[in-house]
Amino acid sequence: MDTERTPPPPVEQVHAAVERRGQSLVSLEDSPQVSISVMTPPPPVLLAEPFAKPTEPLEGFPEDITPPENFAMVCPYIYRSGMPKKRHFGFLRRLRLRSILTLILEEYPVQSQKFLEHEGIRLFQFGVAGNKEPFADIPESVMTEALCVLMDRRNHPILIHCNKGKHRTGCLVGCLRKLQEWSNTSIFDEYRRYSAPKSRSMDQQFIELFDVRPVLDQIDPENVPDWPTTLYPLQGRAEQ
């Protein structure tokens, strides 16, 4: 297992990168169905390495190894689940996460924010309402931004979650699978395995029609993951 990974960029660079896209770190969309934010822990508690020794348990958070609902490994250094709760914090500590990417619209729970700050975990919030008929759907631009976070290994290890780890998380993982050149049949089989018994045809249509080219245009070729994806031409370009 390769443990030599590029350290996360300074907070100022993260802020500058977001601001260059004309976005605010607090709320990047006016729509009530979309919100994007980035919460960076105070610099003194940022992890220097992705697999640094875990910090001591935070007082009031008992150690436990219970995983969140629908937890699974997506691929090396990327995990998925439902919304982590207090009883899951001990398990999350063992993952030694560098980042969490959430798709919930609501403000992130204060208790969870306190845990992230203590552990030095950066929070990326791409709040979307999900694909629900007849009016709500996931904007492709938000999904593209979320995929760019996943495709930057400086954010790894990273956990993706929504409330249940089913539909919104399934859409993001499905779009990631397109970057990994999975067939639609395999993508939909995986989506239905986690979304059952309430799979949504609109989610599967969204995945099928999602265009990965904007993602390829925006990611940093020097920091793409090592696992097989459509990004091999970019990896080669970075090595030249």
Side-chain angles (χ1 to χ4, degrees):
M1 182 182 296
D2 181 13
T3 59
E4 296 183 1
R5 296 189 172 275
T6 306
V11 175
E12 294 80 7
Q13 291 184 19
V14 176
H15 289 192
V18 176
E19 290 172 354
R20 280 199 299 270
R21 293 172 183 163
Q23 300 169 330
S24 163
L25 289 177
V26 177
S27 179
L28 306 186
E29 295 285 349
D30 295 329
S31 169
Q33 296 178 354
V34 178
S35 68
I36 304 176
S37 64
V38 178
M39 187 191 79
T40 304
V45 297
L46 282 174
L47 296 178
E49 299 179 4
F51 294 103
K53 182 179 179 180
T55 56
E56 292 300 319
L58 186 60
E59 184 178 356
F61 296 117
E63 281 293 282
D64 198 350
I65 54 172
T66 302
E69 179 183 7
N70 263 338
F71 176 83
M73 175 183 281
V74 177
C75 49
Y77 309 113
I78 298 182
Y79 307 93
R80 64 177 291 169
S81 75
M83 179 73 186
K85 298 179 173 59
K86 181 178 178 178
R87 65 180 180 273
H88 305 130
F89 290 167
F91 178 84
L92 295 185
R93 292 184 70 251
R94 285 161 170 76
L95 297 179
R96 302 177 184 180
L97 297 172
R98 176 172 282 173
S99 310
I100 284 181
L101 190 157
T102 182
L103 299 166
I104 65 170
L105 270 172
E106 304 79 19
E107 182 179 358
Y108 213 64
V110 174
Q111 179 177 251
S112 297
Q113 290 187 36
K114 185 177 180 181
F115 171 76
L116 298 187
E117 290 173 1
H118 179 264
E119 297 297 321
I121 299 173
R122 180 174 297 146
L123 176 67
F124 295 92
Q125 184 164 7
F126 296 88
V128 292
N131 292 311
K132 294 182 179 180
E133 295 181 318
F135 302 115
D137 57 8
I138 299 175
E140 284 203 14
S141 59
V142 175
M143 193 63 67
T144 295
E145 292 288 334
L147 285 168
C148 288
V149 171
L150 295 181
M151 297 309 301
D152 189 333
R153 62 181 179 179
R154 292 172 296 183
N155 298 320
H156 297 175
I158 187 169
L159 173 70
I160 311 164
H161 79 80
C162 52
N163 284 326
K164 298 294 185 181
K166 294 183 176 183
H167 303 106
R168 286 171 287 183
T169 297
C171 283
L172 180 55
V173 171
C175 292
L176 176 64
R177 297 308 191 194
K178 294 192 72 171
L179 285 169
Q180 295 177 309
E181 298 185 310
W182 282 32
S183 68
N184 283 338
T185 299
S186 297
I187 293 173
F188 297 153
D189 282 348
E190 180 182 45
Y191 167 83
R192 288 190 289 264
R193 187 161 63 249
Y194 289 95
S195 62
K198 295 183 178 180
S199 300
R200 295 173 180 167
S201 59
M202 289 185 66
D203 285 344
Q204 295 171 78
Q205 182 181 45
F206 176 88
I207 295 169
E208 182 176 8
L209 299 178
F210 182 78
D211 185 0
V212 300
R213 287 175 296 181
V215 182
L216 300 177
D217 291 339
Q218 295 182 40
I219 59 173
D220 180 359
E222 294 185 355
N223 290 292
V224 294
D226 297 330
W227 25 265
T229 68
T230 56
L231 304 175
Y232 273 143
L234 293 179
Q235 290 173 327
R237 188 190 311 169
E239 295 171 356
Q240 293 177 357

